[in-house]
Amino acid sequence: MSCTFFSITSFVMPTIIILIPGTQSILNTVTVLSTLLPLFILLRTLWLNIFTIIDLICHGYNHICLTINNHEIHDLIAIEWSRLKITRVLRIFWTIRALKQMAYLLTYKEIKNETLLGVVKYLLVNGCDTFTAVLGMTSFVSYFGRNVESFFRWLLSTEDVEQINIEYVSAALFYVLALQTGLTVIEPEERFIRLYRNFCLVCGIILIYIHILVDSLLMTLSITQNSSFNKHLKPLLVCGFLLVLSIKILIYLWSHHLVCNWLLAFSSLNIQIIIKVLVTLAVYSLNVINDHHTTFEDKLDDYVFYIKSFGCVVNFCFGVCIFLNGVYNTAFISGSLAHAPMVCLDAYLIVWCGIRDGWRIFIRRRIAMLKIESLADATYIQLSEINDNCPICFQRMVSAKITNCNHCYHGTCLRKWLYLQLTFNFYWYSCCMLSIAY
């Protein structure tokens, strides 16, 4: 109570003194002296609570270290972002701002009779004219991404699968694009066009993440031989939805827009989605056919590898096209270095990581396949002595491969194990598998 009284007194002291006649000469001195009392109170409060402050800092530091050690830095950011409810605050801010602009529309006579499309356009254009407003709009993009992910998880019954964080990716992409395209400094009409283009790119990324969700589910269903028709139907319908939607978007874009760099980039993104879906359906079909007919059981993993490699190569080529488009925009169109960080990120993620990961998979597969082919075939006498089932498929071994540790497996089972390892990073650490893979 006393601290509050002294603070108020020091705050109003210059005003009181200036009302007294003949005190103008000491006003500057009084102003400086009046700041000393709050400073003293602040230092006294800090000193009395120094141990509490140190404990709080240490607790926060330990929490940060523990989270980073158990997870990653982006997980820490996501946890703190959710704990502080920053997105909710930004959404409330942007909503209040939009309501204020709506009230202005209803009272301003010249634009009071705007159509619904005009009102939406006005709110969107004026809803991203400052960096804080862009953050508010980004929170709505994040909210939209989270609800899209929740809907498809509910539709596919994959609530227990690890989240793919569409909301954070979509929000980060939208904000980066907003900064790169300079939404806050361009004219309203141009701002609306760029905002529309940014939304399209964000929606394309959301579709790619939906494909990641449905791809993992379909691969699991096809390999585990799940016979539930409903389990297979839903992800197949989602794949059909992604395929039809991407084709429709391409048709609409090329029939209603002039050729430009953005059109080429967004078209490449949609073509990537189409190729990814087709590759997923092809691999799924091979697994299902093989489970029912065992037509090409010996060569299944080879066919799967060829199909996925073809899809990866084509997607890599389109990714390089998107990267080159960004380089062209930075060098010849925008004339600004604002695009440079994103171009460098694309160069790392698309070009370097794509080449590195593809080469690693190829070399690792080649070495492992050569080792499997080099294994000796079990003779009839050896199989008779073993008189056992394959430890992988639990079926009788008519023919088998002998590993370096003198264990027998079906050659096709070893190849399937290799396919699982390359596809899902599933490692079975036994003497047999270690001797084959490494």
Side-chain angles (χ1 to χ4, degrees):
M1 184 68 182
S2 58
C3 292
T4 305
F5 172 75
F6 286 126
S7 299
I8 296 175
T9 303
S10 62
F11 178 74
V12 300
M13 187 182 299
T15 305
I16 296 174
I17 290 179
I18 199 173
L19 296 177
I20 302 174
T23 57
Q24 287 80 2
S25 58
I26 63 171
L27 183 61
N28 293 333
T29 305
V30 172
T31 304
V32 174
L33 292 176
S34 64
T35 60
L36 295 179
L37 183 59
L39 180 61
F40 170 76
I41 295 173
L42 175 63
L43 294 176
R44 178 177 176 273
T45 304
L46 291 175
W47 176 255
L48 293 177
N49 298 277
I50 185 66
F51 295 106
T52 304
I53 296 173
I54 293 175
D55 290 341
L56 183 63
I57 294 174
C58 293
H59 177 73
Y61 176 77
N62 293 331
H63 170 70
I64 291 174
C65 293
L66 182 63
T67 305
I68 293 177
N69 291 333
N70 294 335
H71 304 282
E72 292 183 6
I73 295 179
H74 62 82
D75 293 321
L76 172 66
I77 297 174
I79 292 172
E80 294 302 314
W81 189 273
S82 301
R83 183 180 67 85
L84 297 175
K85 296 180 172 57
I86 295 177
T87 53
R88 184 177 299 179
V89 173
L90 291 173
R91 280 199 299 270
I92 294 174
F93 161 76
W94 198 87
T95 303
I96 295 174
R97 199 170 185 270
L99 291 175
K100 177 184 175 182
Q101 293 170 351
M102 182 72 74
Y104 174 75
L105 280 175
L106 295 175
T107 56
Y108 196 55
K109 294 182 179 180
E110 294 183 5
I111 56 177
K112 186 167 61 175
N113 297 323
E114 281 280 0
T115 62
L116 179 61
L117 180 61
V119 171
V120 173
K121 179 179 178 180
Y122 177 83
L123 293 178
L124 290 177
V125 168
N126 290 276
C128 57
D129 54 352
T130 64
F131 286 113
T132 309
V134 170
L135 279 174
M137 188 175 288
T138 303
S139 66
F140 275 94
V141 173
S142 172
Y143 183 74
F144 172 74
R146 184 180 66 186
N147 282 279
V148 168
E149 181 178 356
S150 300
F151 170 75
F152 279 97
R153 284 185 176 277
W154 168 80
L155 181 64
L156 299 172
S157 302
T158 57
E159 290 84 357
D160 56 337
V161 180
E162 183 181 358
Q163 291 191 356
I164 52 180
N165 295 327
I166 292 180
E167 58 174 316
Y168 300 117
V169 174
S170 58
L173 177 63
F174 177 80
Y175 193 70
V176 169
L177 290 173
L179 295 179
Q180 285 189 344
T181 53
L183 283 180
T184 59
V185 296
I186 57 180
E187 295 298 324
E189 192 64 33
E190 180 66 20
R191 185 186 303 159
F192 180 75
I193 295 174
R194 294 195 181 184
L195 190 62
Y196 160 74
R197 293 178 176 179
N198 292 349
F199 274 128
C200 289
L201 292 173
V202 170
C203 290
I205 295 298
I206 289 177
L207 292 180
I208 288 180
Y209 272 77
I210 293 172
H211 167 263
I212 294 174
L213 186 65
V214 73
D215 176 73
S216 61
L217 178 59
L218 274 178
M219 293 303 102
T220 303
L221 291 174
S222 63
I223 292 175
T224 56
Q225 301 180 5
N226 191 306
S227 59
S228 174
F229 177 75
N230 190 39
K231 283 283 188 180
H232 288 258
L233 179 62
K234 289 181 179 180
L236 289 175
L237 289 177
V238 173
C239 284
F241 164 75
L242 294 175
L243 199 60
V244 173
L245 181 61
S246 299
I247 294 174
K248 289 287 187 181
I249 289 175
L250 284 175
I251 295 174
Y252 175 81
L253 289 176
W254 286 91
S255 59
H256 291 79
H257 293 79
L258 298 176
V259 178
C260 60
N261 292 319
W262 168 81
L263 179 61
L264 296 176
F266 191 46
S267 299
S268 299
L269 193 61
N270 280 276
I271 293 174
Q272 283 184 303
I273 297 172
I274 294 173
I275 294 173
K276 287 177 181 292
V277 173
L278 292 177
V279 168
T280 297
L281 293 176
V283 175
Y284 167 80
S285 301
L286 286 177
N287 287 326
V288 171
I289 294 173
N290 183 69
D291 289 336
H292 288 82
H293 300 285
T294 63
T295 306
F296 35 75
E297 186 174 6
D298 293 341
K299 295 293 183 180
L300 174 64
D301 61 306
D302 288 334
Y303 295 151
V304 169
F305 178 74
Y306 297 148
I307 292 173
K308 294 178 76 70
S309 298
F310 171 76
C312 290
V313 169
V314 175
N315 283 323
F316 173 76
C317 293
F318 280 104
V320 171
C321 292
I322 295 176
F323 165 70
L324 294 177
N325 177 71
V327 173
Y328 179 80
N329 286 335
T330 304
F332 301 104
I333 296 180
S334 65
S336 172
L337 295 178
H339 292 76
M342 196 64 179
V343 170
C344 295
L345 184 62
D346 288 341
Y348 174 74
L349 294 177
I350 297 177
V351 181
W352 169 249
C353 289
I355 295 175
R356 181 197 61 190
D357 296 342
W359 182 253
R360 283 179 179 175
I361 292 175
F362 173 76
I363 294 298
R364 188 175 180 181
R365 177 185 173 84
R366 179 179 174 81
I367 294 174
M369 291 297 294
L370 289 176
K371 286 187 176 182
I372 290 178
E373 294 296 332
S374 65
L375 295 177
D377 293 322
T379 63
Y380 177 77
I381 297 176
Q382 289 174 320
L383 292 175
S384 300
E385 292 176 353
I386 295 173
N387 192 24
D388 197 1
N389 296 333
C390 173
I392 297 178
C393 67
F394 303 107
Q395 300 295 323
R396 178 64 60 182
M397 288 190 293
V398 180
S399 62
K401 290 281 189 179
I402 302 178
T403 63
N404 297 332
C405 50
N406 293 323
H407 291 105
C408 293
Y409 298 89
H410 284 141
T412 55
C413 292
L414 291 177
R415 296 169 73 90
K416 285 185 177 181
W417 164 82
L418 176 63
Y419 166 70
L420 288 174
Q421 176 174 286
L422 293 174
T423 306
F424 301 106
N425 291 327
F426 173 74
Y427 296 98
W428 182 4
Y429 289 109
S430 67
C431 59
C432 303
M433 300 310 169
L434 290 174
S435 66
I436 294 173
Y438 301 99

